[in-house]
Amino acid sequence: MTDYIIETKGLSVYYGRHRGILDVDLCVETGEVFGFLGPNGAGKTTTQRVLLDIIRPTAGEAHMLGLDCQKEGVVARDRVGYLPGELSLYDNMKARQFFKMYHSLQKNNSDPKYWQTLADRIDLDTSRKIREYSRGNKQKVGVVMAFMNKPELLILDEPTTGLDPLVQQTVMELVREANQAGATVFFSSHILPEVHAVCDRVGIIREGKLVATERVEDMTRQHFKRVRFNFANMPPDDAFSKDGVIELARDEDGITLEVHHHLDVVMETAASYGIIDIETIPVSLEEIFLAYYGRGNGGSNA
Amino acid sequence: MLRLLQQELRSRRNGIIGWAIGLSLLPAIYVAMYPQFQDSLAGMQDILDMEIYKAMGMSFGTFEDWLASTVINLVPLILAIYAVLDATGTLAGEEDNGKLELILALPIKRWQIVTVKAIAHAIALFLILLIVDIVTTIVFLGIESQVETSLTAWDVFWSLLYLWPIVMAFGMISLFLGTFAPSRRVAALIATVVVIVSYFGNNLSSQISTLESIKPLFLYNYLHATATLWVDGPQVNDVLVSLGVAMAVFLLAVVFFQRRDITVGAWPWQRGKIPADAVRTA
């Protein structure tokens, strides 16, 4: 039986008549890094806020760490580190004052100086007032805030926003290290290469509904194929005009196809023109993601 | 919780100092200038019998009347502005600007958050009043020999502290509105209307017999901004009413904050329901 650290059933949020999320059945396994992807307004932040009991569900239920997010939220949140997507800090405080205050408000505060270790790691001067920081440095404060109490579950909403590439890399290292130390990471991001690099599974939410949940390698391997054929005899223009097949490019030597369905038919057709060479072109997570955004694919959870 | 309270008070430090200094000028000037005007004020009673001054609860026949009509009457009205701004800002304002989300993500119960903020607000109001009080009393001591009055410095001192319950009530009403209204702006607007209606409604209902029956509805009814304050002393029942109102709306704030969807910006009755035509997953 799989151990889920986050589990939602039929989770729905409506703001008046406006849709937040609808019937989201989300399962995040303990110890994994789960990427939560979706276009702006899809419902990513709404889902995270329900988990933290900032917003109450209209219907359905949400559990975190085996605890009901609404009824037992205080106990659950003691084991969670959170970085909101729109970070708003106490500008008049020095960063170290803020960290000390934040640390004191956690019951789970085993290492009172870990925030300093993190701040040094991402090159944050904690002696300055938060209002003096650039946007990137404020985001660093948020990163330290989320990781500083070594939580069992990290909920991160676009954690590398506004950070320079070096610090982005460090943050992803922190994510990996926390995961290796046993933490589960649930984060949303628009930077798909980093999702591809660190996530075990991804869930894609679109228009409030969870349309797909798959392992990253399965998603990139199985979703569609991009194939390059070099032919002895060039096929006519309509040779591959089939449902689920898109001709991407054609030159004097061959054709590049994107195959969603009927790969066997495509292979049979290509063979009839004399295949000289065949090459499978890797498909990035970004391209798969855009396919989900653009076509409204339905899907099922893994 | 202590750290959170410390932070709440620290964040109010500049406001407390600024408001205390600024508000101190009003009683200080009114008290300081009385000796220069006391003779001419006695001849102004016909003007002061005009309805507009009665509506503002003003009478200047004696120093006690002067002090009551200016300082006791106006300090809580002006301090109520701070109460509205601070109390709507501490919950509704922090919700609007996103700071509240950080605190709510912590393992803290919502009623604890409201309570800490209410305590910080109450302390801030008290400190401002205390500073205004000390300044006013010092000024009074400076002019005491020039004024015909039976008041002592202690009378002046406690009469300003006596204003704390009513401004607390306005503050807690504003805090509650911050948990109820969709935004800080709406909460502050409603709270301001409450303060103004209370002030003018109380004075007008004293002048218009048909409004006499609704006078108890106005909080200012429980503030005796007249010279009788120092004759009869503060009425304990009236102080208890103000404190009772403050406590009651504070408890309402706890209840409504507990139920509130933060960052949504909606009235409580706008809580969403899944429309019948929503396309649901099979």
Side-chain angles (χ1 to χ4, degrees):
Chain A
M1 190 168 168
T2 310
D3 185 16
Y4 295 126
I5 200 167
I6 293 175
E7 191 173 4
T8 70
K9 288 180 184 168
L11 192 64
S12 304
V13 173
Y14 262 76
Y15 307 114
R17 282 196 58 82
H18 299 289
R19 181 269 310 153
I21 54 177
L22 182 62
D23 290 336
V24 171
D25 294 333
L26 176 67
C27 297
V28 177
E29 296 171 11
T30 304
E32 72 173 344
V33 181
F34 189 94
F36 199 42
L37 311 179
N40 296 330
K44 303 186 298 296
T45 301
T46 296
T47 304
Q48 291 178 338
R49 284 175 174 164
V50 172
L51 293 175
L52 294 162
D53 199 31
I54 292 169
I55 296 175
R56 277 62 189 276
T58 308
E61 54 189 55
H63 287 80
M64 201 166 57
L65 297 148
L67 301 164
D68 187 297
C69 292
Q70 276 66 58
K71 295 174 187 164
E72 301 165 290
V74 174
V75 178
R77 293 196 298 275
D78 191 40
R79 297 151 68 185
V80 175
Y82 176 53
L83 174 59
E86 292 171 29
L87 186 59
S88 183
L89 298 165
Y90 292 92
D91 290 345
N92 283 334
M93 296 181 87
K94 291 181 183 173
R96 60 176 56 147
Q97 286 175 321
F98 173 74
F99 293 137
K100 285 177 185 172
M101 180 195 77
Y102 210 73
H103 176 77
S104 71
L105 293 172
Q106 298 271 12
K107 296 184 180 65
N108 168 31
N109 47 16
S110 53
D111 188 348
K113 286 293 185 183
Y114 186 54
W115 59 264
Q116 187 65 64
T117 305
L118 289 168
D120 292 339
R121 182 103 176 255
I122 57 174
D123 193 28
L124 177 69
D125 179 2
T126 61
S127 65
R128 295 172 62 191
K129 287 201 172 180
I130 291 173
R131 66 160 175 260
E132 296 172 10
Y133 287 150
S134 65
R135 184 166 175 257
N137 279 330
K138 287 182 182 176
Q139 186 69 10
K140 288 181 187 178
V141 173
V143 169
V144 173
M145 178 186 75
F147 284 82
M148 60 189 270
N149 284 333
K150 300 181 182 175
E152 291 175 51
L153 172 63
L154 282 155
I155 298 177
L156 311 173
D157 196 346
E158 303 191 32
T160 59
T161 302
L163 298 178
D164 66 59
L166 282 175
V167 181
Q168 284 180 11
Q169 200 172 20
T170 305
V171 171
M172 287 298 107
E173 284 171 10
L174 289 174
V175 168
R176 286 192 202 91
E177 287 167 15
N179 181 241
Q180 282 160 10
T184 305
V185 182
F186 176 69
F187 82 100
S188 67
S189 177
H190 288 298
I191 304 174
L192 293 167
E194 72 185 22
V195 171
H196 199 164
V198 298
C199 290
D200 300 309
R201 289 197 305 146
V202 294
I204 298 179
I205 187 166
R206 187 174 180 275
E207 294 181 353
K209 294 185 181 176
L210 194 63
V211 296
T213 308
E214 291 185 53
R215 298 201 67 78
V216 171
E217 59 266 25
D218 292 343
M219 189 169 270
T220 53
R221 190 173 58 238
Q222 296 172 4
H223 189 78
F224 55 81
K225 296 278 184 284
R226 201 167 282 153
V227 188
R228 163 80 185 179
F229 294 104
N230 282 7
F231 294 104
N233 303 302
M234 277 301 288
D237 291 344
D238 62 349
F240 296 98
S241 294
K242 298 176 188 352
D243 180 40
V245 181
I246 303 167
E247 186 172 305
L248 296 177
R250 175 187 283 258
D251 57 43
E252 59 187 22
D253 293 323
I255 298 172
T256 303
L257 299 173
E258 185 174 289
V259 182
H260 293 258
H261 309 297
H262 311 303
L263 181 61
D264 54 341
V265 175
V266 168
M267 294 302 294
E268 206 176 298
T269 306
S272 68
Y273 295 97
I275 301 172
I276 297 175
D277 195 9
I278 182 168
E279 179 190 358
T280 304
I281 301 167
V283 177
S284 71
L285 188 62
E286 185 162 7
E287 290 167 304
I288 295 167
F289 186 46
L290 288 171
Y292 272 107
Y293 280 2
R295 296 177 206 160
N297 283 324
S300 57
N301 294 349
Chain B
M1 288 297 104
L2 191 58
R3 285 261 187 177
L4 191 58
L5 179 61
Q6 286 171 342
Q7 161 54 22
E8 289 288 326
L9 288 171
R10 191 182 300 123
S11 71
R12 287 171 169 80
R13 182 177 52 202
N14 292 344
I16 291 170
I17 293 170
W19 273 83
I21 292 172
L23 191 55
S24 294
L25 292 176
L26 182 142
I29 289 171
Y30 273 123
V31 170
M33 73 183 195
Y34 182 78
Q36 301 170 42
F37 288 98
Q38 60 181 329
D39 293 332
S40 53
L41 280 172
M44 286 174 66
Q45 201 54 47
D46 285 346
I47 297 170
L48 294 165
D49 281 340
M50 288 170 66
E51 295 305 320
I52 186 165
Y53 290 108
K54 288 184 180 176
M56 293 174 71
M58 291 187 169
S59 176
F60 299 142
T62 63
F63 178 72
E64 287 81 349
D65 286 326
W66 170 261
L67 194 66
S69 295
T70 55
V71 177
I72 305 300
N73 197 20
L74 295 177
V75 164
L77 186 64
I78 298 170
L79 191 54
I81 299 172
Y82 171 83
V84 168
L85 291 173
D86 183 70
T88 56
T90 196
L91 277 177
E94 289 196 0
E95 179 180 340
D96 286 352
N97 67 27
K99 287 192 180 68
L100 198 59
E101 194 172 346
L102 286 185
I103 301 300
L104 286 171
L106 288 167
I108 303 173
K109 296 184 174 80
R110 287 199 181 194
W111 69 262
Q112 290 175 319
I113 295 172
V114 181
T115 303
V116 164
K117 288 177 176 291
I119 291 172
H121 177 70
I123 293 173
L125 285 175
F126 183 79
L127 288 175
I128 293 172
L129 261 179
L130 184 63
I131 294 169
V132 171
D133 203 353
I134 291 170
V135 169
T136 307
T137 305
I138 291 171
V139 173
F140 171 77
L141 286 169
I143 58 117
E144 189 180 13
S145 59
Q146 306 167 50
V147 170
E148 281 184 39
T149 180
S150 59
L151 294 183
T152 64
W154 170 244
D155 290 328
V156 173
F157 185 79
W158 67 252
S159 62
L160 273 157
L161 287 184
Y162 157 75
L163 304 176
W164 185 77
I166 191 172
V167 287
M168 261 297 291
F170 287 129
M172 290 301 108
I173 289 170
S174 304
L175 188 77
F176 158 68
L177 287 168
T179 67
F180 185 82
S183 69
R184 183 201 183 175
R185 190 164 41 181
V186 174
L189 179 64
I190 298 173
T192 303
V193 169
V194 168
V195 172
I196 293 171
V197 166
S198 179
Y199 179 75
F200 285 105
N202 175 60
N203 290 322
L204 285 172
S205 59
S206 301
Q207 311 300 321
I208 303 170
S209 58
T210 49
L211 297 178
E212 188 76 30
S213 58
I214 63 170
K215 200 168 184 297
L217 294 177
F218 304 115
L219 267 174
Y220 261 89
N221 177 57
Y222 305 97
L223 176 73
H224 294 284
T226 67
T228 57
L229 173 64
W230 294 284
V231 174
D232 302 329
Q235 299 301 300
V236 174
N237 288 345
D238 292 342
V239 170
L240 288 176
V241 167
S242 293
L243 290 175
V245 168
M247 180 56 75
V249 285
F250 162 72
L251 292 173
L252 277 177
V254 170
V255 169
F256 277 85
F257 190 65
Q258 184 64 35
R259 294 161 48 89
R260 187 176 177 87
D261 287 329
I262 306 300
T263 73
V264 172
W267 296 98
W269 56 82
Q270 289 178 317
R271 194 167 169 70
K273 289 183 184 156
I274 299 178
D277 58 355
V279 177
R280 309 193 70 158
T281 309

